[in-house]
Amino acid sequence: SKISVVRCFYFRGGAELLFDGVKKHQVTLPCQPEPWDIRNLLKWIKQNLLKERPELFMQGESVRPGILVLINDADWELMGELDYKLQDQDNVLFISTLHGG
């Protein structure tokens, strides 16, 4: 079976406040038969990393509008969004563009 891979996820622009203020998370994703895609990753993040107010990070099965997702510094819209299959060494960055007044 495949070895689970340690991955880094970054939260910026206020998104880190939903994750105990931690901006960089190194996580080991569990092994699964299929490659991890962003859709499954978001579910996992919601269950395992998100500490409060999930509605500020997630909407349905995706991130809510106003959260930019960058995969290796490229906009995830160019990569297939939820269907993008994570590769080894991918960096995933979540940036909140929502700033409360």
Side-chain angles (χ1 to χ4, degrees):
S1 68
K2 295 176 84 175
I3 297 165
S4 39
V5 179
V6 176
R7 306 217 179 261
C8 284
F9 305 117
Y10 300 88
F11 300 91
R12 297 275 191 278
E16 70 275 6
L17 300 176
L18 305 174
F19 296 87
D20 275 355
V22 179
K23 290 187 174 183
K24 177 180 178 183
H25 291 259
Q26 281 192 295
V27 302
T28 304
L29 293 175
C31 293
Q32 57 176 34
E34 299 297 313
W36 279 85
D37 59 17
I38 298 289
R39 179 179 284 107
N40 289 326
L41 173 66
L42 287 171
K43 274 185 212 155
W44 189 90
I45 286 175
K46 183 178 178 183
Q47 289 168 348
N48 295 278
L49 293 182
L50 196 55
K51 299 298 185 199
E52 55 186 289
R53 301 180 73 184
E55 71 280 1
L56 293 182
F57 184 70
M58 302 277 298
Q59 189 171 74
E61 62 176 13
S62 189
V63 292
R64 64 172 287 172
I67 293 188
L68 297 175
V69 182
L70 298 180
I71 301 166
N72 304 324
D73 299 325
D75 190 321
W76 76 324
E77 289 177 6
L78 305 173
M79 320 280 279
E81 299 195 7
L82 293 171
D83 295 323
Y84 175 78
K85 304 259 188 293
L86 288 169
Q87 311 293 316
D88 287 354
Q89 312 300 322
D90 275 353
N91 280 322
V92 184
L93 173 61
F94 299 91
I95 304 172
S96 175
T97 60
L98 307 168
H99 297 287

